[in-house]
Amino acid sequence: MKLGLKRLVVIGSLGVASATLATSPAFAKSDISIEATPHTVHVGQVVKVHGQGGDDAERYTTLVIQQRSGRPGHWSNWQTVKQDFGFEVRANVKAGQAGELQFRSVLYATDENHQHPKTDRVSAPLTIHVVR
């Protein structure tokens, strides 16, 4: 009899927990990420970069992959490699010189005419080491 009562208590508490989760308010989802392979390349090799991002709260978004090169303390400015009005961008970047490459994803929210972009999210930079 005790085993049946324990089962009833467990099933009841699971039912209450699921009902609580079902009635909780919904929040807009937003996420951004950047991936690149390989992490170490030789000069002249290609790095495959993949950025993803989206924001349910924004109607029109542009996802951009940006790159900068150099070394800490002597970085170049961030430059756009590729952009798309979707949630996913892929680019192949050829390593031009020894040092480091950094990539990041930037999600811009725009109006319906894709003008006046404002930065919505920026991923953490991902570093690729370029050797001779």
Side-chain angles (χ1 to χ4, degrees), residues 54-100:
D55 189 343
D56 292 346
E58 297 292 341
R59 188 167 180 189
Y60 302 102
T61 58
T62 303
L63 184 63
V64 176
I65 292 177
Q66 293 181 338
Q67 168 195 341
R68 71 179 178 175
S69 59
R71 59 190 192 333
H74 300 285
W75 290 107
S76 62
N77 293 329
W78 287 104
Q79 298 175 358
T80 297
V81 174
K82 193 167 181 183
Q83 72 178 21
D84 196 312
F85 294 111
F87 298 106
E88 190 171 1
V89 179
R90 293 180 187 272
N92 292 331
V93 178
K94 190 173 188 177
Q97 61 186 15
E100 293 181 343

Side-chain angles (χ1 to χ4, degrees), residues 4-27:
L5 186 59
K6 286 182 181 178
R7 283 185 184 165
L8 182 62
V9 169
V10 169
I11 291 172
S13 62
L14 287 175
V16 170
S18 63
T20 303
L21 289 174
T23 59
S24 63
F27 294 99

